Short mmCIF file of all heavy atoms in Angstrom, two decimals:
data_model
loop_
_atom_site.label_atom_id
_atom_site.label_comp_id
_atom_site.label_asym_id
_atom_site.label_seq_id
_atom_site.Cartn_x
_atom_site.Cartn_y
_atom_site.Cartn_z
N LYS A 64 36.92 90.76 81.84
CA LYS A 64 35.61 91.33 82.22
C LYS A 64 35.78 92.16 83.48
O LYS A 64 36.42 91.73 84.43
CB LYS A 64 34.60 90.20 82.47
CG LYS A 64 33.18 90.67 82.70
CD LYS A 64 32.21 89.50 82.70
CE LYS A 64 30.78 89.98 82.79
NZ LYS A 64 30.43 90.63 84.05
N ILE A 65 35.18 93.33 83.48
CA ILE A 65 35.32 94.27 84.60
C ILE A 65 34.52 93.77 85.81
O ILE A 65 33.32 93.54 85.71
CB ILE A 65 34.85 95.69 84.19
CG1 ILE A 65 35.69 96.22 83.03
CG2 ILE A 65 34.90 96.64 85.38
CD1 ILE A 65 37.14 96.45 83.36
N ASN A 66 35.19 93.65 86.96
CA ASN A 66 34.53 93.23 88.19
C ASN A 66 33.94 94.41 88.95
O ASN A 66 32.94 94.29 89.64
CB ASN A 66 35.54 92.53 89.13
CG ASN A 66 36.18 91.32 88.48
OD1 ASN A 66 35.51 90.59 87.75
ND2 ASN A 66 37.46 91.13 88.72
N ASP A 67 34.62 95.56 88.80
CA ASP A 67 34.22 96.74 89.55
C ASP A 67 32.98 97.38 88.89
O ASP A 67 33.06 97.82 87.74
CB ASP A 67 35.39 97.73 89.55
CG ASP A 67 35.18 98.87 90.52
OD1 ASP A 67 34.04 99.35 90.66
OD2 ASP A 67 36.17 99.28 91.14
N PRO A 68 31.83 97.43 89.59
CA PRO A 68 30.60 97.96 88.97
C PRO A 68 30.72 99.42 88.54
O PRO A 68 30.16 99.82 87.51
CB PRO A 68 29.53 97.81 90.06
CG PRO A 68 30.17 97.20 91.22
CD PRO A 68 31.62 97.00 90.97
N ALA A 69 31.49 100.21 89.30
CA ALA A 69 31.63 101.64 88.97
C ALA A 69 32.35 101.80 87.63
O ALA A 69 31.96 102.59 86.78
CB ALA A 69 32.38 102.36 90.08
N ILE A 70 33.44 101.03 87.44
CA ILE A 70 34.21 101.11 86.20
C ILE A 70 33.37 100.57 85.03
O ILE A 70 33.37 101.14 83.93
CB ILE A 70 35.55 100.35 86.31
CG1 ILE A 70 36.42 100.98 87.39
CG2 ILE A 70 36.29 100.35 84.99
CD1 ILE A 70 37.70 100.22 87.71
N ALA A 71 32.64 99.47 85.28
CA ALA A 71 31.79 98.90 84.22
C ALA A 71 30.75 99.91 83.78
O ALA A 71 30.50 100.10 82.57
CB ALA A 71 31.13 97.61 84.74
N LYS A 72 30.14 100.59 84.75
CA LYS A 72 29.10 101.59 84.45
C LYS A 72 29.69 102.73 83.63
O LYS A 72 29.10 103.20 82.66
CB LYS A 72 28.52 102.11 85.76
CG LYS A 72 27.33 103.04 85.60
CD LYS A 72 26.85 103.56 86.95
CE LYS A 72 25.84 104.68 86.73
NZ LYS A 72 25.59 105.47 87.93
N TYR A 73 30.90 103.17 84.03
CA TYR A 73 31.59 104.27 83.33
C TYR A 73 31.84 103.90 81.87
O TYR A 73 31.60 104.69 80.95
CB TYR A 73 32.91 104.56 84.06
CG TYR A 73 33.82 105.52 83.33
CD1 TYR A 73 33.64 106.90 83.44
CD2 TYR A 73 34.84 105.05 82.50
CE1 TYR A 73 34.47 107.78 82.77
CE2 TYR A 73 35.66 105.92 81.83
CZ TYR A 73 35.49 107.29 81.96
OH TYR A 73 36.30 108.15 81.28
N LEU A 74 32.30 102.67 81.66
CA LEU A 74 32.62 102.23 80.30
C LEU A 74 31.35 102.14 79.44
O LEU A 74 31.33 102.58 78.29
CB LEU A 74 33.34 100.87 80.33
CG LEU A 74 34.77 100.88 80.86
CD1 LEU A 74 35.28 99.46 81.09
CD2 LEU A 74 35.70 101.61 79.91
N ILE A 75 30.28 101.58 80.03
CA ILE A 75 29.03 101.44 79.29
C ILE A 75 28.47 102.82 78.92
O ILE A 75 27.99 103.04 77.81
CB ILE A 75 28.01 100.61 80.10
CG1 ILE A 75 28.48 99.14 80.19
CG2 ILE A 75 26.61 100.66 79.47
CD1 ILE A 75 27.76 98.30 81.22
N GLU A 76 28.55 103.75 79.88
CA GLU A 76 28.05 105.12 79.64
C GLU A 76 28.80 105.80 78.50
O GLU A 76 28.29 106.68 77.83
CB GLU A 76 28.18 105.97 80.91
CG GLU A 76 27.07 105.73 81.91
CD GLU A 76 27.33 106.40 83.25
OE1 GLU A 76 28.39 107.08 83.39
OE2 GLU A 76 26.50 106.22 84.15
N HIS A 77 30.06 105.38 78.29
CA HIS A 77 30.87 105.97 77.22
C HIS A 77 30.86 105.11 75.96
O HIS A 77 31.75 105.22 75.12
CB HIS A 77 32.30 106.18 77.72
CG HIS A 77 32.43 107.34 78.64
ND1 HIS A 77 32.05 107.27 79.96
CD2 HIS A 77 32.86 108.61 78.44
CE1 HIS A 77 32.25 108.45 80.55
NE2 HIS A 77 32.74 109.29 79.64
N GLY A 78 29.86 104.25 75.87
CA GLY A 78 29.66 103.48 74.64
C GLY A 78 30.63 102.32 74.46
O GLY A 78 30.81 101.84 73.35
N LYS A 79 31.26 101.90 75.55
CA LYS A 79 32.23 100.79 75.43
C LYS A 79 31.68 99.58 76.17
O LYS A 79 30.84 99.70 77.06
CB LYS A 79 33.57 101.20 76.03
CG LYS A 79 34.25 102.33 75.28
CD LYS A 79 35.53 102.74 75.98
CE LYS A 79 36.08 103.98 75.28
NZ LYS A 79 37.16 104.60 76.02
N LYS A 80 32.21 98.42 75.81
CA LYS A 80 31.81 97.20 76.52
C LYS A 80 32.57 97.12 77.84
O LYS A 80 33.68 97.64 77.94
CB LYS A 80 32.14 95.98 75.65
CG LYS A 80 31.26 95.87 74.42
CD LYS A 80 31.57 94.62 73.64
CE LYS A 80 30.68 94.58 72.41
NZ LYS A 80 31.05 93.52 71.48
N PRO A 81 31.97 96.43 78.84
CA PRO A 81 32.65 96.37 80.16
C PRO A 81 33.79 95.34 80.20
O PRO A 81 33.81 94.42 81.04
CB PRO A 81 31.51 95.97 81.11
CG PRO A 81 30.58 95.18 80.26
CD PRO A 81 30.66 95.76 78.87
N PHE A 82 34.72 95.50 79.27
CA PHE A 82 35.90 94.63 79.22
C PHE A 82 37.10 95.52 78.96
O PHE A 82 37.02 96.46 78.17
CB PHE A 82 35.79 93.61 78.05
CG PHE A 82 34.72 92.58 78.25
CD1 PHE A 82 33.42 92.84 77.86
CD2 PHE A 82 35.00 91.34 78.81
CE1 PHE A 82 32.41 91.90 78.04
CE2 PHE A 82 33.99 90.39 79.00
CZ PHE A 82 32.71 90.67 78.61
N ILE A 83 38.22 95.23 79.60
CA ILE A 83 39.47 95.91 79.25
C ILE A 83 40.53 94.85 79.03
O ILE A 83 40.88 94.10 79.97
CB ILE A 83 39.93 96.90 80.33
CG1 ILE A 83 38.90 98.01 80.53
CG2 ILE A 83 41.28 97.52 79.94
CD1 ILE A 83 39.27 99.00 81.59
N ALA A 84 41.01 94.78 77.79
CA ALA A 84 42.02 93.78 77.43
C ALA A 84 43.39 94.46 77.32
O ALA A 84 43.47 95.68 77.23
CB ALA A 84 41.65 93.14 76.10
N PRO A 85 44.46 93.68 77.31
CA PRO A 85 45.80 94.28 77.17
C PRO A 85 45.93 95.17 75.95
O PRO A 85 46.51 96.26 76.04
CB PRO A 85 46.71 93.05 77.06
CG PRO A 85 45.98 91.97 77.75
CD PRO A 85 44.53 92.22 77.53
N THR A 86 45.40 94.72 74.82
CA THR A 86 45.56 95.50 73.60
C THR A 86 44.78 96.82 73.62
O THR A 86 45.03 97.69 72.79
CB THR A 86 45.11 94.67 72.38
OG1 THR A 86 43.81 94.14 72.66
CG2 THR A 86 46.07 93.54 72.09
N ASP A 87 43.85 96.97 74.59
CA ASP A 87 43.11 98.23 74.71
C ASP A 87 43.93 99.33 75.38
O ASP A 87 43.64 100.51 75.24
CB ASP A 87 41.83 98.02 75.56
CG ASP A 87 40.85 97.07 74.90
OD1 ASP A 87 40.84 97.00 73.65
OD2 ASP A 87 40.09 96.40 75.62
N VAL A 88 44.93 98.93 76.13
CA VAL A 88 45.66 99.92 76.95
C VAL A 88 47.15 100.02 76.66
O VAL A 88 47.75 101.07 76.90
CB VAL A 88 45.45 99.64 78.46
CG1 VAL A 88 44.02 99.92 78.87
CG2 VAL A 88 45.85 98.21 78.82
N TYR A 89 47.77 98.96 76.18
CA TYR A 89 49.23 98.97 76.04
C TYR A 89 49.71 100.00 75.01
O TYR A 89 49.09 100.17 73.96
CB TYR A 89 49.74 97.59 75.61
CG TYR A 89 49.76 96.56 76.72
CD1 TYR A 89 50.03 95.22 76.44
CD2 TYR A 89 49.54 96.90 78.05
CE1 TYR A 89 50.06 94.26 77.43
CE2 TYR A 89 49.57 95.94 79.05
CZ TYR A 89 49.83 94.63 78.73
OH TYR A 89 49.86 93.67 79.72
N ASP A 90 50.82 100.65 75.35
CA ASP A 90 51.49 101.56 74.42
C ASP A 90 52.90 101.01 74.22
O ASP A 90 53.81 101.26 75.04
CB ASP A 90 51.54 102.97 75.01
CG ASP A 90 52.23 103.97 74.09
OD1 ASP A 90 52.75 103.57 73.03
OD2 ASP A 90 52.25 105.17 74.44
#
Side-chain angles (χ1 to χ4, degrees):
Chain A
K64 187 170 186 294
I65 299 295
N66 302 322
D67 191 322
I70 298 173
K72 186 183 169 195
Y73 171 83
L74 289 169
I75 291 166
E76 280 171 1
H77 285 77
K79 295 176 186 169
K80 290 183 181 171
F82 292 86
I83 298 179
T86 50
D87 296 331
V88 291
Y89 284 171
D90 180 355

